[in-house]
Coordinates of all heavy atoms in Angstrom, one line a residue:
M91 N 20.8 10.1 -18.5 CA 20.8 8.9 -17.7 C 19.4 8.3 -17.4 O 18.5 9.1 -17.0 CB 21.4 9.2 -16.2 CG 22.9 9.4 -16.3 SD 23.6 7.7 -16.2 CE 25.3 8.1 -15.8
I92 N 19.2 7.1 -17.6 CA 17.9 6.5 -17.3 C 17.9 5.9 -15.9 O 18.8 5.0 -15.6 CB 17.6 5.4 -18.3 CG1 17.6 6.0 -19.8 CG2 16.4 4.6 -18.0 CD1 17.5 5.0 -20.9
N93 N 17.1 6.3 -15.1 CA 17.0 5.7 -13.7 C 16.2 4.4 -13.8 O 15.0 4.4 -14.1 CB 16.4 6.6 -12.7 CG 16.5 6.1 -11.3 OD1 16.8 5.0 -11.0 ND2 16.6 7.0 -10.3
L94 N 16.9 3.2 -13.5 CA 16.2 1.9 -13.8 C 15.1 1.7 -12.8 O 14.3 0.8 -13.1 CB 17.3 0.8 -13.7 CG 18.3 0.8 -14.8 CD1 19.2 -0.6 -14.7 CD2 17.7 0.9 -16.2
Y95 N 15.0 2.4 -11.7 CA 13.8 2.3 -10.8 C 12.5 2.5 -11.5 O 11.4 2.2 -11.0 CB 14.0 3.2 -9.6 CG 15.0 2.6 -8.6 CD1 15.9 3.5 -8.0 CD2 15.1 1.3 -8.2 CE1 16.9 3.0 -7.0 CE2 16.0 0.8 -7.3 CZ 16.9 1.7 -6.7 OH 17.8 1.2 -5.8
G96 N 12.6 3.2 -12.7 CA 11.3 3.6 -13.3 C 10.8 2.6 -14.3 O 9.7 2.8 -14.8
F97 N 11.5 1.5 -14.6 CA 11.1 0.4 -15.5 C 10.3 -0.6 -14.8 O 10.8 -1.2 -13.8 CB 12.3 -0.2 -16.2 CG 12.9 0.5 -17.3 CD1 14.3 0.7 -17.4 CD2 12.1 1.3 -18.2 CE1 14.9 1.3 -18.5 CE2 12.6 1.9 -19.3 CZ 14.0 2.0 -19.4
T98 N 9.2 -1.1 -15.4 CA 8.7 -2.4 -15.0 C 9.7 -3.5 -15.5 O 10.5 -3.2 -16.4 CB 7.3 -2.7 -15.7 OG1 7.5 -2.7 -17.1 CG2 6.3 -1.7 -15.2
L99 N 9.5 -4.7 -15.0 CA 10.4 -5.8 -15.5 C 10.3 -6.0 -17.0 O 11.3 -6.1 -17.7 CB 10.0 -7.1 -14.8 CG 10.9 -8.3 -15.1 CD1 12.3 -8.1 -14.6 CD2 10.3 -9.5 -14.2
G100 N 9.1 -5.9 -17.5 CA 8.8 -6.0 -19.0 C 9.5 -4.9 -19.7 O 10.1 -5.1 -20.8
E101 N 9.4 -3.7 -19.3 CA 10.1 -2.5 -19.9 C 11.5 -2.6 -19.9 O 12.2 -2.3 -20.8 CB 9.6 -1.2 -19.3 CG 8.1 -0.8 -19.5 CD 7.7 0.3 -18.7 OE1 8.3 0.6 -17.6 OE2 6.6 0.8 -19.0
L102 N 12.1 -3.1 -18.8 CA 13.5 -3.3 -18.7 C 14.0 -4.3 -19.7 O 15.0 -4.1 -20.4 CB 13.9 -3.7 -17.2 CG 15.4 -3.9 -16.9 CD1 16.2 -2.6 -17.2 CD2 15.6 -4.2 -15.4
G103 N 13.2 -5.4 -19.8 CA 13.6 -6.4 -20.8 C 13.6 -5.9 -22.2 O 14.5 -6.1 -23.0
E104 N 12.6 -5.0 -22.6 CA 12.6 -4.4 -23.9 C 13.7 -3.5 -24.1 O 14.4 -3.4 -25.2 CB 11.2 -3.7 -24.1 CG 10.1 -4.5 -24.3 CD 8.7 -3.8 -24.1 OE1 8.7 -2.6 -24.2 OE2 7.8 -4.5 -23.7
F105 N 14.0 -2.7 -23.1 CA 15.2 -1.8 -23.1 C 16.4 -2.5 -23.5 O 17.3 -2.1 -24.2 CB 15.3 -1.0 -21.8 CG 16.5 -0.2 -21.7 CD1 16.6 1.0 -22.4 CD2 17.5 -0.6 -20.8 CE1 17.8 1.8 -22.2 CE2 18.6 0.2 -20.6 CZ 18.8 1.4 -21.3
L106 N 16.7 -3.7 -22.8 CA 17.9 -4.4 -22.9 C 17.9 -5.1 -24.3 O 18.9 -5.0 -24.9 CB 18.0 -5.5 -21.8 CG 18.2 -5.0 -20.4 CD1 18.0 -6.1 -19.3 CD2 19.6 -4.4 -20.3
I107 N 16.8 -5.6 -24.7 CA 16.8 -6.2 -26.1 C 17.2 -5.1 -27.2 O 17.9 -5.3 -28.1 CB 15.4 -6.8 -26.5 CG1 15.3 -8.1 -25.6 CG2 15.2 -7.1 -27.9 CD1 13.8 -8.7 -25.5
A108 N 16.5 -3.9 -27.0 CA 16.8 -2.8 -27.9 C 18.3 -2.5 -28.0 O 18.7 -1.9 -28.9 CB 15.9 -1.7 -27.6
N109 N 19.0 -2.8 -26.9 CA 20.4 -2.5 -26.8 C 21.3 -3.7 -27.0 O 22.5 -3.7 -26.5 CB 20.7 -1.8 -25.5 CG 20.3 -0.3 -25.5 OD1 20.8 0.5 -26.2 ND2 19.1 -0.1 -24.8
D110 N 20.7 -4.7 -27.7 CA 21.4 -6.0 -27.9 C 21.8 -6.9 -26.8 O 22.8 -7.6 -26.9 CB 22.6 -5.7 -28.9 CG 22.2 -5.1 -30.2 OD1 21.1 -5.5 -30.7 OD2 23.0 -4.4 -30.8
Y111 N 21.1 -6.7 -25.7 CA 21.3 -7.6 -24.5 C 20.1 -8.6 -24.5 O 19.2 -8.5 -25.3 CB 21.5 -6.8 -23.3 CG 22.8 -6.1 -23.4 CD1 22.8 -4.7 -23.7 CD2 24.0 -6.7 -23.1 CE1 23.9 -4.0 -23.8 CE2 25.2 -5.9 -23.2 CZ 25.2 -4.6 -23.5 OH 26.3 -3.9 -23.6
K112 N 20.1 -9.5 -23.5 CA 19.0 -10.5 -23.5 C 18.0 -10.1 -22.5 O 18.2 -9.4 -21.4 CB 19.7 -11.8 -22.9 CG 20.8 -12.3 -23.9 CD 20.2 -13.2 -24.9 CE 21.2 -13.8 -25.9 NZ 21.9 -12.8 -26.8
K113 N 16.8 -10.6 -22.8 CA 15.7 -10.3 -21.9 C 15.8 -10.8 -20.4 O 15.5 -10.2 -19.5 CB 14.4 -10.9 -22.5 CG 13.1 -10.5 -22.0 CD 11.9 -11.0 -22.7 CE 10.7 -11.0 -21.8 NZ 9.7 -11.9 -22.2
F114 N 16.5 -12.0 -20.4 CA 16.6 -12.6 -19.0 C 17.6 -11.7 -18.2 O 17.6 -11.9 -16.9 CB 17.1 -14.1 -19.1 CG 18.6 -14.2 -19.4 CD1 19.5 -14.2 -18.4 CD2 19.0 -14.5 -20.7 CE1 20.9 -14.3 -18.7 CE2 20.3 -14.7 -21.0 CZ 21.3 -14.6 -20.0

Side-chain angles (χ1 to χ4, degrees):
M91 281 283 195
I92 296 169
N93 192 337
L94 293 190
Y95 285 136
F97 280 140
T98 62
L99 184 58
E101 288 168 343
L102 182 57
E104 282 161 28
F105 170 74
L106 290 168
I107 290 168
N109 286 282
D110 292 332
Y111 295 97
K112 299 274 184 289
K113 194 174 159 201
F114 75 84

